[in-house]
Amino acid sequence: MRRISSKLLLCLSLDACSGADRGAGQTPGTPGTPTAGATYVADVVRTEYGIPHITADDFGSFGYGYGYVHTEDNLCVL
């Protein structure tokens, strides 16, 4: 019985942390909701040692550049 209840508790806590319902009450245009036709532009320059420097005009574009760099560096891990 203890094993079943601990597994149930683990499943419920993981479900609560998953964030599946995040943004459910947001209206269009609020942070976290991309607008229609949004384009992201970021410049990524690497130094001679491979350190990325990301330049962007807004946080969405910076996040796009960061994700691109992370994917380049860690594709095998993903």
Side-chain angles (χ1 to χ4, degrees), residues 28-77:
T30 58
T33 306
T35 57
T39 57
Y40 301 115
V41 178
D43 294 322
V44 177
V45 178
R46 291 189 180 261
T47 62
E48 62 183 288
Y49 295 108
I51 299 171
H53 294 271
I54 304 166
T55 305
D57 291 335
D58 56 4
F59 285 117
S61 296
F62 178 78
Y64 176 78
Y66 181 79
Y68 183 83
V69 168
H70 183 72
T71 304
E72 276 187 339
D73 293 344
N74 301 310
L75 184 61
C76 293
V77 176

